[in-house]
């Protein structure tokens, strides 16, 4: 076996933290399968972009894997039923989100049979030579990825098909598979790599086929030797297939364990030494980055025809009796999973979805697992921090020293506090990846990340408001113009009528006076034509003036209007 | 003495000429102050400033006929921005009644609507659609919440409702907890109030 | 409606109070050495300064309606007091410490907004005011170091008696217990052309084994404490290294022209408050520059100013003035030395 590497050295990123990983809590055992619950709550928006639109009705009987929400627009992803049963409601329910606000969900009462809808794989499983892989076109695979509702499972939740499509059109020469999993506690990627390395490798081959990348690098933190070995063995096992489909082999590279090495920009920097331009994408420098779980999901979609209806979730923390990784149907309530994993309710302090650095505290445990749920961290008292009130900043610059983006969090904090939104953009707030390093090292316990989120939100809000004001101004001016035109048109019509009346009167007068004017004078003939033209012009002007603001409606607005129309007709 | 005076006068004339020329040659085109003011106003066209819309109000401010604090929808932020632009003092907002918390929009109670089109005529931004004797509807995304459609409605079927907060419009709040303003107790409590105080009374 | 707690949730490793405490711990070897070299006066100064400073801090916090307990527990006033005490002459009368503490805590710190808001290092601002207001007390009350022969040393009680009541034991004059500090000797003699380095060396009253007599050991102890802070990650290398390197570089540069009228780099590095300044005073987070480049320039500026003031200025030591002058430059330094952010101007730097 010869794994030639074109990676000669590793680079490094500034800042970062050495953290206590606490991964050994949950990374040893097999991946358990969670039970299918009695009720599934499946949110229609589990991705960045437009929410999916429900295509099922209350009372519908559905099977596992059946489409229940179809994608809306270019950046969106469909949603599928994660078990068979009956739709009992489509309504707003609490979803895992820091705000504790509800969102639209499809509620399914499961029948316990867990019957699959017919699955149509693109490649049959009994194809040891992977010949069929040759026959597949990039479009076919992309379509399948889109159909399966696959989104970036590393946390970005960007619809994968859209990302792959863009990468395919651009010259992308390096595919980076992110297996760093740098956040403490989380081991779902680790478990996947240990238990299903073949699926990952085949999935990577598929992604590589779509984007046409020459190089493929898997970046993995060096605190996961078992996963590294499992993946290396799988690469060796599939050497022939890899060889046939790629000029270069898949390289797996261990990177030093330092948070946030798994950040997309940081991993790219460590592996290639390149930096993604600000406000740009990795594709701008010929790189596309995908999470390792996403790769495995692509495999499942293509080889088994299964859409994304379940995911591996790490259940861990001091209050969990047996920390483990579980494969959970999307829509299963977190309470059910915790009950299955066993938890000590009396010792629970916090429940975090995601890791302790970038996750968020769940507002309720009666929320469903979504495509984004990689970890449920149930801490006991003293394990995680409830921040003491912040002290004043002492300008120690530990935040700047730990920032992997070389930002100056301290200065940004002052401007966020002063709500100086222009200045804070001068300090490049939009390059902040919210990794949490600055808040963690801050001796004054200042919630820096929250200040930055707040400032970003304010900037976006201001922009939205400005846009809305501009739109309102335009519409108002349009309306003023229309009213003006209508007024003019009315005046014109009135003038014409008056003229006509006057003329008629004059003619009658003439008739009465002379009586010899039997024939119309030639000139009055021309007058009549002129009159007609003027009339039609006035009519046209009136029509034009009646042009409404409501002609160029967006899709959503049109929909609202149509619905109103429907309601109107019903009455 | 005389020469001195003459020289000074000549110099003054020369520099005056130069300055005058420069102001013509290097003229900086800046958008008229009315446009700048108008750009800062929220464009609700509500008329609460007693002018017929945002632009007339902007013209009045520019002409020095109106104070800068007549715009309730814009709130303190707008007053502040106007004060910055015009380099005048910030005035407290002149409010006739309690301002609304957050944005509002008009909603027509469709069962009551008789299709009189009066509200359509009142809407400054054409956000209401419908025809005579047919039910009307407010296009929510275009509504500026100006309330101008409320009084003309003969059957009182228009309600102003706050825009509902959703996951996409939700905001991380500004952090409020530091030692100088110590809050009482743990302000973060949840996960169902830490599982109902860990099931103990 | 509840308030969402933002990530991260991991327990922070450090607090302001702990940070200050570690700095105080790192001062201990220097304090012990100082007491050994200069006698009990150092200890008395420290105790007095802490008492006065905490008292002023508490009163000011109360008047400013700030939570007194929380802020007292941050140890920042504690640290300021110790640094001020270490800068004072060992036989400083109690009122000198009182005035110093008042100026450091009330004027330089609390009136500017308290912890985190003071533009000037409080201990150094107070020291500078004392030096300008009471030049005699600030320069003549240095006890002779223990290794210097021909001087009497005072017991704790005798020291207290002098500092509190201005009474020396009978048959002892101030001259018998005090000495002119090495930096003072060098400035008054060498720089004014009264004596050459070798002449001074032959008296045996000024030069020690490598630095100033007595102060060399104190500096060595502060250096050890500073290295401990570096290792603990409480301070970063930028400021001390650039400051010491600049000071060393200029003393080497000028020293190599006229060897006999310029003291060696080692003398500069191991006399006066050089090491205390480099690791404990210039690195004060509140008043130092914050960007990496800014910190290097800040440290270098202090080093250069120290050399200039020590050599050509009117005062024997220069840590306080140098630090204060560079404090003024901090906003400018921070603004013009912003680091390149990831992904900005990358074109020319992509490998």
């Amino acid at each position: 076996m010869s794994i030639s590497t074109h990676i000669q050295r590793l680079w490094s990123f500034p800042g970062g933290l050495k953290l206590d990983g606490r991964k050994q809590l949950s990374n040893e055992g097999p991946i358990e399968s969670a039970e299918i619950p009695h009720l599934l709550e499946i949110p229609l928006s589990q991705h960045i972009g437009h929410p999916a639109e429900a295509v099922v009705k209350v009372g519908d009987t559905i099977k596992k894997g059946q489409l229940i929400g179809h994608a809306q627009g270019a950046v969106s992803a469909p949603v599928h039923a994660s078990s068979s049963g009956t739709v009992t409601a489509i309504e707003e329910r609490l979803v895992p989100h820091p705000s504790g606000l509800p969102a639209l969900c499809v509620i399914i009462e499961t029948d316990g049979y867990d019957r699959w809808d017919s699955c149509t794989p693109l490649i049959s499983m009994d194809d040891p030579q992977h010949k069929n892989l040759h026959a597949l076109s990039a479009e076919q695979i992309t379509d399948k990825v889109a159909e399966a509702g696959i989104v970036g499972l590393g946390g970005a939740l960007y619809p994968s098909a859209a990302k792959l499509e863009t990468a395919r059109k651009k010259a992308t020469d390096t595919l980076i598979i992110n297996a760093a999993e740098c956040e403490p506690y989380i081991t779902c990627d680790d478990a996947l790599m240990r238990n299903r390395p073949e699926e990952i490798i085949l999935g990577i081959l598929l992604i590589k086929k779509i984007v046409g990348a020459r190089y493929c690098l898997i970046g993995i933190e060096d605190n996961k030797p078992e996963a590294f070995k499992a993946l290396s063995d799988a690469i060796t096992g599939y050497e022939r297939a890899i060889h046939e489909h790629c000029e270069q082999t898949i390289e797996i590279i261990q990177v030093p364990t330092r948070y946030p090495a798994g950040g997309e920009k940081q991993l790219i920097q460590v592996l290639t030494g390149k930096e993604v331009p600000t406000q740009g994408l990795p594709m701008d420098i010929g790189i596309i980055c995908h999470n390792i779980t996403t790769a495995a999901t692509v495999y499942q979609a293509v080889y088994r025809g299964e859409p994304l209806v379940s995911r591996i979730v790490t259940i861990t923390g001091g209050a969990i009796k047996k920390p483990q990784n579980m494969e959970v149907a999307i829509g299963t309530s977190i309470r059910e999973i915790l009950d299955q994993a066993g938890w000590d309710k009396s010792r629970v302090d916090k429940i975090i979805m995601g890791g302790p650095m970038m996750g968020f505290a769940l507002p309720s445990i009666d929320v469903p697992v979504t495509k984004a749920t990689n970890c449920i961290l149930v801490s006991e008292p003293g394990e995680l921090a409830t921040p003491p009130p912040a002290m004043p900043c002492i300008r120690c610059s530990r935040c700047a020293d730990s920032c992997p983006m070389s930002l100056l969090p301290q200065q940004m904090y002052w401007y966020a506090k002063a709500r100086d939104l222009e200045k804070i953009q001068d300090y490049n707030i939009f390059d902040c990846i919210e990794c949490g390093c600055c808040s963690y090292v801050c001796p004054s316990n200042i919630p820096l990340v929250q200040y930055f989120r707040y400032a970003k939100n304010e900037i976006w809000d201001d922009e939205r408001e400005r846009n809305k004001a501009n739109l309102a101004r335009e519409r108002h001016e349009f309306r003023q113009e229309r009213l003006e035109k209508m007024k003019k048109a009315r005046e014109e019509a009135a003038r014409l009528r008056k003229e006509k009346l006057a003329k008629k009167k004059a003619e009658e007068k003439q008739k009465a006076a002379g009586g010899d004017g039997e024939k119309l004078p030639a000139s009055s003939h021309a007058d009549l034509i002129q009159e007609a033209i003027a009339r039609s012009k006035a009519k046209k002007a009136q029509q034009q003036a009646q042009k409404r603001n409501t002609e160029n409606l967006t899709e959503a607005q049109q929909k609202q209007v149509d619905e109103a129309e429907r309601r109107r007709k019903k009455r | 003495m005389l020469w001195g005076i003459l020289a000074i006068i000549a110099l003054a004339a020369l520099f005056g000429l130069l300055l005058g020329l420069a102001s013509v040659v290097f003229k900086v085109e800046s958008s008229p102050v009315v446009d700048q003011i108008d750009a800062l106003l929220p464009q609700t066209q509500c008329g609460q400033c007693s002018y017929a819309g945002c632009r007339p109000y902007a013209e009045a401010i520019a002409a020095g006929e109106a104070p800068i604090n007549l715009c309730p929808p814009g709130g303190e932020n707008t007053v502040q921005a106007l004060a910055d632009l015009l380099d005048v003092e910030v005035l407290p907002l002149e409010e006739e009644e309690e301002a609304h918390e957050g944005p509002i929009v008009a909603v027509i109670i469709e069962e009551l609507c008789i299709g009189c089109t009066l509200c359509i005529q009142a809407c400054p931004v054409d956000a209401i659609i419908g025809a005579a004797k047919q039910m009307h509807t407010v296009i929510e995304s275009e509504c500026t919440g100006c309330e101008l459609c409320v009084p003309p409605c003969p059957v009182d079927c228009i309600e102003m409702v706050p825009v509902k907060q959703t996951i996409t419009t939700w905001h991380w709040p500004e952090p409020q907890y530091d030692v100088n303003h110590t809050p009482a107790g743990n302000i973060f409590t949840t996960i169902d109030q830490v599982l109902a105080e860990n099931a103990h009374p | 409606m509840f308030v969402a707690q933002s990530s991260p949730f991991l327990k922070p490793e450090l607090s302001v109070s702990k940070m200050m405490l570690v700095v105080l711990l790192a001062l201990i070897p220097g304090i012990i050495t100082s007491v050994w070299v200069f006698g009990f006066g150092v200890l008395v100064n420290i105790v007095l300064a802490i008492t006065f400073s905490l008292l002023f801090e508490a009163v000011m916090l109360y008047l400013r309606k700030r939570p007194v307990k929380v802020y007292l527990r941050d140890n920042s006033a504690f640290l300021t007091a110790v640094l001020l005490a270490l800068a004072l002459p060992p036989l400083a009368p109690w009122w000198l410490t009182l005035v110093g503490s008042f100026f450091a805590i009330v004027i330089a710190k609390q009136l500017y907004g308290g912890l985190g808001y003071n533009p000037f290092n409080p201990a150094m601002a107070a020291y500078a005011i004392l030096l300008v207001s009471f030049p005699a007390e600030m320069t003549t009350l240095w006890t002779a170091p223990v290794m210097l022969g021909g001087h009497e040393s005072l017991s704790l009680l005798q020291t207290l008696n002098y500092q509190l009541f201005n009474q020396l034991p009978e048959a002892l004059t101030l001259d018998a217990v005090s000495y002119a500090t090495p930096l003072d000797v060098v400035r008054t003699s060498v720089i004014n052309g009264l004596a050459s380095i070798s002449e001074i060396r032959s008296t045996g009253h000024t030069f020690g084994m490598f630095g100033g007599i007595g102060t060399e050991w104190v500096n060595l102890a502060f250096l050890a404490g500073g290295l401990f802070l570096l290792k603990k990650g409480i301070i970063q290398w930028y400021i001390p290294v650039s400051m010491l390197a600049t000071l060393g570089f200029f003393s080497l540069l000028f020293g190599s022209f006229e060897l006999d009228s310029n003291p060696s780099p080692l003398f500069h590095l191991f006399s006066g408050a050089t090491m205390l300044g480099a690791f404990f005073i210039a690195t004060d987070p509140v008043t130092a520059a914050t960007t990496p480049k800014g910190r290097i320039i800040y440290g270098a500026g202090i080093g250069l100013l120290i050399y200039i003031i020590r050599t050509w200025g009117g005062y024997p030591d220069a840590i306080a003035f140098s630090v204060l002058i560079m404090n003024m430059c901090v906003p400018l330094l921070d603004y013009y030395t912003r680091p390149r952010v990831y992904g900005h101007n990358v074109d020319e730097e992509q490998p």
Side-chain angles (χ1 to χ4, degrees):
Chain A
M1 169 191 135
S2 65
I3 294 186
S4 65
T5 62
H6 86 286
I7 288 261
Q8 298 299 324
R9 54 167 283 212
L10 286 179
W11 277 265
S12 170
F13 62 90
L17 299 172
K18 285 242 178 277
L19 297 175
D20 177 12
R22 309 217 63 190
K23 290 180 187 270
Q24 65 291 344
L25 279 179
S26 57
N27 69 357
E28 294 297 335
I31 300 172
E32 308 280 350
S33 282
E35 285 161 34
I36 298 293
H38 177 61
L39 273 182
L40 289 166
E41 282 178 22
I42 306 177
L44 284 166
S45 181
Q46 303 182 42
H47 48 262
I48 302 283
H50 281 288
E53 197 188 46
V55 292
V56 287
K57 293 191 301 293
V58 175
D60 284 3
T61 314
I62 49 169
K63 287 184 177 159
K64 185 177 185 178
Q66 189 180 326
L67 185 75
I68 55 175
H70 78 78
Q72 293 259 70
V75 179
S76 183
V79 177
H80 302 83
S82 33
S83 188
S84 55
T86 317
V87 177
T88 56
I90 300 172
E91 61 187 24
E92 294 212 317
R93 292 280 176 99
L94 274 191
V95 292
H97 190 271
S99 65
L101 288 169
L104 204 58
C105 296
V106 173
I107 321 297
I108 297 170
E109 195 181 311
T110 56
D111 57 15
Y113 295 113
D114 207 23
R115 260 191 297 248
W116 274 99
D117 199 16
S118 56
C119 299
T120 46
L122 287 179
I123 302 181
S124 107
M125 293 287 274
D126 39 69
D127 174 27
Q129 305 299 314
H130 302 284
K131 286 218 171 66
N132 293 342
L133 193 52
H134 272 300
L136 282 183
S137 71
E139 285 87 350
Q140 273 178 297
I141 309 173
T142 318
D143 287 349
K144 195 73 188 172
V145 170
E147 223 175 86
I150 297 174
V151 297
L153 295 175
L157 299 178
Y158 191 84
S160 298
K163 185 166 160 184
L164 289 168
E165 190 64 25
T166 327
R168 193 161 65 85
K169 284 177 189 149
K170 289 202 176 189
T172 305
D173 91 329
T174 308
L175 167 64
I176 289 179
I177 298 294
N178 189 343
E181 198 170 55
C182 60
E183 272 225 45
Y185 287 98
I186 309 180
T187 58
C188 60
D189 289 357
D190 192 2
L192 181 77
M193 289 187 276
R194 290 183 191 206
N195 291 289
R196 303 173 191 166
E198 292 83 9
E199 296 188 4
I200 293 170
I201 300 300
L202 289 173
I204 292 174
L205 281 180
L206 289 167
I207 294 177
K208 211 173 151 178
K209 174 129 193 165
I210 299 176
V211 297
R214 196 173 137 81
Y215 302 106
C216 176
L217 315 172
I218 303 175
I220 179 169
E221 272 192 342
D222 57 13
N223 61 356
K224 293 183 255 303
E226 292 87 355
F228 174 75
K229 184 164 181 306
L231 272 190
S232 303
D233 290 349
I235 293 174
T236 317
Y238 281 101
E239 212 185 347
R240 252 187 73 191
I242 295 170
H243 196 69
E244 265 174 48
H245 294 282
C246 323
E247 330 167 26
Q248 302 281 331
T249 183
I250 297 172
E251 291 168 52
I252 172 160
I253 295 146
Q254 284 187 302
V255 300
T257 301
R258 186 156 56 99
Y259 182 82
E264 185 178 71
K265 291 176 171 172
Q266 280 63 43
L267 189 64
I268 289 174
Q269 191 172 22
V270 169
L271 290 178
T272 68
K274 292 183 187 168
E275 290 179 19
V276 181
T278 175
Q279 287 168 14
L281 293 170
M283 290 162 210
D284 298 339
I285 50 170
I287 294 173
I288 181 170
C289 210
H290 269 284
N291 181 267
I292 197 124
T293 310
T294 315
T297 322
V298 170
Y299 160 87
Q300 283 164 12
V302 173
Y303 280 78
R304 295 205 215 120
E306 293 174 6
L308 177 49
V309 291
S310 68
R311 70 156 298 150
I312 299 171
V313 182
T314 305
I315 318 292
T316 186
I320 294 287
K321 287 186 181 134
K322 188 172 167 282
Q324 58 189 296
N325 279 289
M326 272 185 174
E327 176 135 22
V328 184
I330 282 161
T332 309
S333 118
I334 289 187
R335 185 190 291 276
E336 301 239 5
I337 312 176
L338 294 181
D339 284 343
Q340 283 180 44
W343 55 318
D344 189 344
K345 284 179 199 152
S346 61
R347 276 198 303 136
V348 172
D349 178 45
K350 283 182 197 307
I351 302 187
I352 310 290
M353 189 172 122
M357 293 301 283
M358 293 185 74
F360 58 89
L362 283 178
S364 163
I365 58 165
D366 294 307
V367 293
V369 164
T370 68
K371 294 176 185 175
T373 312
N374 52 0
C375 178
I376 308 288
L377 168 53
V378 186
S379 72
E380 57 187 339
E383 192 175 5
L384 298 177
T386 296
M391 296 281 287
C393 168
I394 57 164
R395 301 178 15 100
C396 65
S397 55
R398 296 174 77 84
C399 48
D401 292 340
S402 72
C403 180
M405 301 298 283
S406 303
L407 293 166
L408 295 172
Q410 184 220 121
Q411 274 84 341
M412 283 156 56
Y413 155 70
W414 290 116
Y415 291 123
K417 223 177 149 159
R419 215 180 168 280
D420 189 338
L421 301 181
E422 249 169 66
K423 210 66 185 179
I424 200 170
Q425 288 182 78
D426 281 356
Y427 279 84
N428 304 305
I429 189 171
F430 283 109
D431 286 302
C432 169
I433 57 170
E434 299 175 16
C435 64
C437 289
C438 51
S439 303
Y440 174 72
V441 298
C442 180
S444 295
N445 298 307
I446 298 169
L448 291 163
V449 172
Q450 189 180 343
Y451 272 105
F452 304 153
R453 286 177 174 154
Y454 158 74
K456 285 180 185 176
N457 283 166
E458 287 287 296
I459 293 168
W460 287 326
D461 256 24
D462 273 13
E463 203 161 307
R464 244 201 314 267
E465 250 162 54
R466 237 190 343 268
N467 287 342
K468 194 162 182 204
N470 281 338
L471 187 74
R473 180 188 299 117
E474 264 169 41
R475 292 177 71 88
H476 182 64
E477 276 163 10
F478 190 96
R479 181 185 137 96
Q480 296 296 97
E481 210 175 307
R482 188 186 72 228
L483 293 180
E484 196 66 24
K485 269 190 194 152
M486 271 168 85
K487 202 172 144 202
K488 272 215 187 102
R490 258 200 308 275
E491 279 168 6
E492 178 73 10
R495 193 180 59 78
L496 279 178
R497 258 200 315 279
K498 230 182 197 166
E499 261 177 29
K500 210 168 150 190
L501 213 69
K503 207 177 248 168
K504 222 174 180 177
K505 258 189 187 155
E507 271 168 24
E508 272 164 15
K509 226 179 189 172
Q510 216 175 16
K511 242 186 207 167
D516 53 338
E518 309 270 273
K519 269 193 325 193
L520 277 173
S523 62
S524 92
H525 220 71
D527 278 357
L528 274 182
I529 294 170
Q530 281 297 323
E531 238 172 69
I533 290 174
R535 262 203 309 278
S536 101
K537 257 190 191 160
K539 207 166 188 180
K540 219 173 195 175
Q542 208 161 3
Q543 265 170 9
Q544 200 133 54
Q546 262 156 14
K547 217 182 223 176
R548 311 283 317 224
N549 256 338
T550 38
E551 274 180 6
N552 304 316
L553 291 177
T554 65
E555 210 178 307
Q557 288 167 344
Q558 191 58 51
K559 205 169 2 164
Q560 195 200 343
V561 173
D562 292 346
E563 261 167 37
E565 192 75 7
R566 229 184 10 250
R567 285 197 298 275
R568 185 173 63 73
K569 282 199 181 125
K570 248 192 240 166
R571 285 170 55 186
Chain B
M1 176 70 188
L2 185 68
W3 282 113
I5 290 170
L6 282 179
I8 297 284
I9 290 171
L11 273 176
L14 183 71
F15 282 115
L17 205 67
L18 273 177
L19 281 174
L21 274 176
S23 73
V24 175
V25 176
F26 301 110
K27 187 170 180 177
V28 180
E29 289 288 346
S30 72
S31 66
V33 72
V34 175
D35 284 347
Q36 289 180 41
I37 297 171
D38 196 30
L40 295 177
L41 296 175
Q43 305 300 329
T44 41
Q45 318 293 352
C46 62
Q48 288 181 63
C49 52
S50 81
Y51 291 87
C54 292
R55 188 152 185 105
Y57 178 44
E59 281 160 5
I61 294 177
E65 290 161 4
I68 58 172
N69 59 344
L70 298 182
C71 181
E76 310 274 343
N77 285 349
T78 300
V79 177
Q80 182 70 50
L82 286 172
D84 285 348
L85 173 71
L86 302 169
D87 201 17
V88 294
E89 261 185 56
V90 179
L91 300 168
L93 199 60
E94 195 138 295
E95 278 177 283
E96 287 167 5
E97 57 200 279
E98 193 89 338
H100 295 280
E101 279 288 313
I104 49 172
V105 286
V107 169
I108 293 177
I109 305 167
E110 293 174 351
E111 291 75 46
L112 301 181
C113 177
I114 53 170
C116 66
T117 75
L118 286 177
C119 59
I120 297 183
Q121 290 163 39
C123 179
V125 292
D126 291 343
I128 307 179
I129 53 166
K133 305 233 171 101
Q134 294 188 340
M135 182 190 89
H136 305 336
T137 297
V138 179
I139 306 175
E140 191 188 318
S141 56
E142 306 289 8
C143 177
T144 62
C146 68
E147 305 186 39
L148 287 182
C149 52
V150 177
C153 181
V155 290
D156 285 341
C157 74
I158 302 181
E159 271 186 346
M160 300 306 296
V161 297
V163 177
K164 206 170 133 202
Q165 201 181 33
T166 66
I167 280 177
T168 39
T169 58
W170 180 79
H171 238 208
W172 276 99
E174 183 179 6
Q176 295 290 345
Y177 38 101
D178 60 57
V179 281
N180 297 340
H181 317 92
T182 319
N186 182 358
I187 55 168
F188 299 114
T189 318
T190 165
I191 27 158
D192 307 331
Q193 298 302 313
V194 186
L195 307 173
E197 295 299 322
N198 290 342
H200 284 298
Chain C
M1 195 62 202
F2 79 107
V3 180
Q5 181 190 346
S6 173
S7 61
F9 298 94
L10 273 194
K11 271 205 280 190
E13 50 182 9
L14 204 63
S15 63
V16 175
S17 141
K18 195 177 162 197
M19 206 168 152
M20 301 288 172
L21 204 64
V22 177
V23 178
L24 283 164
L25 276 181
L27 279 169
I28 287 176
I31 293 173
I32 292 174
T33 318
S34 290
V35 174
W36 169 58
V37 170
F38 293 114
F40 293 109
V42 178
L43 221 51
V44 177
N45 282 348
I46 292 178
V47 172
L48 285 179
I50 291 174
T51 316
F52 294 144
S53 295
L54 291 185
L55 207 70
F56 284 133
E57 176 98 340
V59 170
M60 284 308 286
L61 287 169
Y62 177 78
L63 290 178
R64 293 183 56 228
K65 300 191 174 61
R66 293 291 188 271
V68 177
K69 256 197 214 152
V70 180
Y71 277 107
L72 279 185
R73 258 187 256 138
D74 71 23
N75 293 332
S76 63
F78 203 127
L79 180 60
T80 301
V82 174
L83 289 175
L84 174 66
L86 287 172
L88 291 175
L91 287 179
W94 63 271
W95 54 265
L96 203 62
T97 315
L98 179 76
V99 173
S101 303
F102 176 82
F103 203 83
I105 300 296
V106 178
I107 311 278
K109 185 180 175 189
Q110 290 294 342
L111 287 189
Y112 275 101
L115 179 71
Y117 289 90
N118 48 304
F120 296 106
N121 187 314
M124 289 302 100
Y127 178 86
I129 286 295
L130 292 181
L131 189 59
V132 172
S133 316
F134 310 102
E137 284 83 354
M138 289 298 283
T139 45
T140 59
L141 293 177
W142 284 86
T143 33
V146 64
M147 52 282 292
L148 191 65
H151 289 268
E152 302 286 330
S153 49
L154 300 173
S155 70
L156 177 60
L157 263 178
Q158 288 169 327
T159 311
L160 265 176
N161 206 20
Y162 182 75
Q163 292 189 289
L164 298 182
F165 307 111
N166 200 17
Q167 286 171 349
L168 278 175
E170 290 199 22
L172 270 187
T173 60
L174 197 56
D175 284 344
V177 292
S178 70
Y179 87 134
T181 61
L183 282 171
D184 204 9
V185 173
V186 169
R187 185 180 64 90
T188 47
S189 317
V190 181
I191 289 160
N192 293 335
L194 299 176
S196 70
I197 296 278
S198 44
E199 278 164 353
I200 298 172
R201 189 179 295 281
S202 64
T203 64
H205 283 201
T206 299
F207 291 100
M209 291 169 73
F210 46 94
I213 194 158
T215 55
E216 58 190 4
W217 303 112
V218 177
N219 270 289
L220 211 57
F222 282 129
L223 172 63
L227 293 178
F228 169 74
L229 282 187
L230 272 179
K231 196 182 163 288
K232 277 273 169 189
I234 300 292
I235 58 171
Q236 300 292 314
W237 61 269
Y238 308 102
I239 293 173
V241 168
S242 68
M243 170 179 153
L244 295 176
T246 313
L247 180 60
F249 172 77
F250 279 100
S251 47
L252 192 68
L253 189 72
F254 287 96
S256 46
F257 284 122
E258 288 172 90
L259 214 53
D260 218 26
S261 56
N262 284 297
S264 70
L266 268 184
F267 176 79
H268 272 292
L269 294 178
F270 290 95
S271 316
T274 308
M275 291 299 167
L276 180 70
F279 290 98
F280 296 92
I281 291 170
T283 53
D284 165 35
V286 178
T287 55
T290 57
T291 63
K293 260 192 233 160
R295 278 179 275 180
I296 289 176
I297 299 173
Y298 174 81
I302 292 175
L304 175 64
L305 284 170
I306 289 174
Y307 187 77
I308 291 174
I309 298 175
R310 275 184 186 176
T311 311
W312 297 291
Y315 293 94
D317 204 353
I319 308 289
F321 292 112
S322 310
V323 167
L324 293 174
I325 291 172
M326 288 314 287
N327 282 166
M328 288 192 263
C329 305
V330 160
L332 217 60
L333 284 176
D334 280 352
Y335 186 79
Y336 283 107
T337 57
R338 293 192 268 171
R340 186 184 69 83
V341 174
Y342 177 106
H344 286 257
N345 313 321
V346 279
D347 298 337
E348 64 273 16
E349 297 194 29
Q350 296 277 14

